[in-house]
Amino acid sequence: MASTSKAIFSFICLALLLPLSSCNCVAPLYSHRTPSAHAWLASRLRSKNVASLSSARWSQLGRLPPPPAPPSFTLLDSVSRQFVNWLHQHSHPSHPRNFSITPIERPGFKSEEIPLALAAFAAKSLNNGDVLLDLQLDSWLSDVFASESIPSLKDAPWEVRLASILLHERAKGSGSRWDPYIKALPDFIFLPLFFTDLELNNIQDASVQDEVQRLRRFIESTFQSLTPEEVAGSKFTEYAWAMAVTYSSACRIIVQGTIHHVLVPFVSFSFEPNSKVTAVIADGSIRLQAIENIPEHSFLSMSYDHNNSSDLFIFRGIVDSKLINVLLFSSLLDLVDWYVTSYGALNNNKYLTLRVVQDAKVAFENQLMSPMTTTDLSGDGLFILGLDGSVNPRILCLLGSLFYAKELLAREVGRENMDITNMNNMIGTQWERDMNTMVRSFLRISTLDCERIMGFDDKFSNSTLSALRAIKERIHGLMCTSTTAEEDKAFLAAAEWDGFGGLGISESGCPSCRWQIEEMSFNDYLAVSYRLYRKGVLKILISHLSCLDVEENIAPSNVVHQNGTDTTDQFVSWMEGNGFSISEKLSITHLLAGDGKLVRGVVVLKNIRRGETLCNLPLDMGLYDNETIVAGEVDSWDRAAARLLREKAKGSSSAWASYINILPQNMTVPILLEDHELHEVQWWPVLRELVQVRKSIRESFSLLSVDDLAGADFEEYRWAAMMVHSRAFTLPVFADDHYAPYVMMPYMDMINHHYHYQADWMSQPIWGGKVEIVARRDIKKGEELFASFGPRANDNLFLYYGFVLKDNPFDVAGIFASYEDGVRWFLDTWTTSCKHSVNPRSLASCKRLRWEEQWKLAKDALENVSGRGASLNREWWHLVNLWADMGYQYIPFQPGPTVYFAGITDPSLIALFESVVNNTLQLNQTILATTKFKESSLSTGVSSNQTLNVGLRSFFTCMKSHIRELSQHPVVEGHPCWEEFVTVSEIADASTWSLLVGKIAVGVRCLEVLSLFPTTIEEDEALINASNNSRTCVSGTSCSGRQTVSEHLQLTREYRYLKKLMLQEVVHKLIS
């Protein structure tokens, strides 16, 4: 997994089209930010309305029309060879072929059609300064060439010209001199431009989201302004792709005084985060050369040329930790809007506020032109802060002018509703003089050194400090997102396990279900990588302003709102008066749970016979969202939580007051874990969903209005959200018997969940406006009454209900991200057919072709699983029958690469591995060459269960000692446990040998997964016991030194402990 981690985390440096960067080849100035481009558009459109596409539609763009069949490795390999030959034909002949380009699989994707990409490698060891390519300028596609080829576009924005000429050359096919380069371009470009709404939201940077929307409108408008001839008859989808290629690979150069925007004909996908190649422009050509010593076969990646991280992310789709800066404001207007929102407009006049900032801007620019000014403030980084605390004085100047104007107006004018003209008339020339003096003062400041600035002794010291405090408040605002940095880290770590669900171009089926995103796209990964990087920079910037007295409260606290006391008697009386019919044999009480904690539940006072009615509950007393005041993009969970809070705010006047008062005020759920405790979950799929739930609650709170929430604060809302999800049901509460989600039904939620339940409501018809609950078996006096919330695994119970169950028959653990991933793992773990492949091209080719062949055969085996029945896994059918006996005959089962309760493996996974075993015997020559195996196993078919178990026990004991070496040392001849594996093969029945190896492979995978957890089963058990002992310890000397942990953390440790036991049971079942 270590190598996977490196690959995936390096994957954020995606460079499908790598830009060239040096002092001569720099980031372009983007046209949609310039008045000239908008003037050109206006002249072309002539007031023509341009319809904007939805985000859902944009998420499907940027991709060329798919071919009849996905490109195979062989086809892409041919494309890459032609492209490399073309590059070297156009390169100076004196330079040897120092690099190669080959197709590789992008890591982490778990879809069947694993996306392929072209990657560049060093063909030999390179020294710093070695040249890879020396290309003449006419080998580039440029906007100047576009202007000559398409004269009608000579005044068009450079991006439009480049995209248009790319489409024209593409339309020529083999007739274009750039055909090998164009064929090598990727079909899909990973850019925020093509993110879904959910993926854009994951960025958590409003300035980036706004910029993406502006960019989309610009592309839509430019396409509408072009004639079909100017885009070679291309559709908008193709035009959007061409613009994406342009944004992701273009750079700006100056040749003989003329600005050129060019697409550099060098295509590569990079795993490595550090740049190894740069560009130098000289003598009318561009040289790609190494900027460090590069070992043979290393990936080649290019240096990037943006001076701010936001633009690099937006236009290149890259998160590069080497760019140590952050954009504080996206524009002058953004600064003004934020100031007005945070501090109010000057004299309640936004126009006056804007005029003050504009005056300050003019004064600042005048001072820059002064010969006395030596500060270099050229470039477009107007509102950027550097990691070292460097700050463009322009930011301080603009903010300082607002605070000084506010101070001046209060002191000199003393009147409200003053506009800039009246202010100038009353103050005379003082304002202009002060502005110039203030600018000169601010030009002396280049870092966020608040202690130095606090030592200023001039008339602007107060304004300067106010500006610094404003910057700190702005940084805090940027950090106050719906996730914390620790949650983001956990989310990214989960990607190592979960993989990416395809290319990220389809919207979720439930856009509002933010906590239930089934798969994580690579776009999500890019978005979270960007926001985590940004938070890291912001956190460091805050440290430079530590001497200021701004309260730091970035993340919501985990305090649960306290409310009321136990009022069980009042609740019982309330039910009696509202049509509830409860058996006298039942009583609500507090019970001692298995972990020693008191929980409320229902206990049986007298023996109950099967079929007896336990209670009848009136549906009209269900509390759910049947009001219409809630607006905005919130889901049923949020609405139900808001309704609960509105009823709670009514106090005793609420019809549900007695019910609300009996609700628990504290819950033991992982949602309340501290940030530094998140890593304790350890099971990545659940950790990812946990982060999503926490994020969703914060987002929903921000979307709901004060009226929606009846003035509740965040802690109260989080309490209500947890109540709803842990206690609500789906019931037919509407007049037409239609069901509503998240109905809180009093008393029904007092009955706790267990898989061995006695109270049945699932199979009972609902009629007469009541829910009837009956006994599904005899119940003895003193038993706790249990119901079923459904066939829930411990993952779900842990996340939403705050408890876990030992020996839960519905528990499950996915040990691969997908079946395809399982085939790859098996081939890498049990065969060495690609060991002869040394260079990246032959290795990539061998692995991909081998996988394609085996996956095709394995798919056939998966399709035939149902027909093979119990021959694959008898225990599986015993488990299915157990579910049926518990009342779950119709579980919506979905096969997967998973293991279940009691060490049972999904039959489909065994069939998958059995197929690969059968089909790779010819590949794994070391097994066939084992004479002992061929004679003893295949000929005689020796089989002894007892001897086999001894052999398996010996093999797994050995593997447990060497499991961490598995990724580097496959289980083949020479592996420390190879002899033990051969011994097992000798004992096994030849007719079932491949099936046995399939089961062994599942066991080995479970051992490997267990080795990836930070703590062992034994360590978890010790932690749990130590915490339990500290809870029961009576104060005294025997308790000294014992440290207690929160109930949330204790639950988390119990959850992961049970998950590990389930994985371990797979191995125990094999060797027992």
Side-chain angles (χ1 to χ4, degrees), residues 481-489 535 555 675 678 694 698:
T481 60
S482 56
T483 58
T484 64
E486 290 301 322
E487 289 170 340
D488 291 343
K489 291 176 184 176
K535 288 172 186 174
D675 279 352
L678 286 173
R694 289 160 61 114
R698 296 190 191 111

Side-chain angles (χ1 to χ4, degrees), residues 900-942:
Y900 295 86
F901 159 75
I904 297 172
T905 303
D906 192 303
S908 64
L909 182 57
I910 296 177
L912 183 86
F913 282 164
E914 181 191 30
S915 168
V916 181
V917 171
N918 284 328
N919 296 319
T920 54
L921 283 177
Q922 296 303 319
L923 295 176
N924 197 341
Q925 297 299 320
T926 55
I927 292 181
L928 285 177
T930 305
T931 305
K932 243 180 179 183
F933 167 74
K934 287 191 292 183
E935 293 179 353
S936 180
S937 179
L938 295 180
S939 300
T940 65
V942 175

Side-chain angles (χ1 to χ4, degrees), residues 36-74:
S36 59
H38 290 283
W40 178 84
L41 263 178
S43 66
R44 278 262 179 155
L45 291 172
R46 297 175 182 173
S47 302
K48 178 182 178 182
N49 291 326
V50 178
S52 296
L53 298 177
S54 66
S55 292
R57 181 73 181 95
W58 266 102
S59 68
Q60 298 170 8
L61 298 176
R63 167 187 291 278
L64 290 175
S72 66
F73 184 94
T74 304

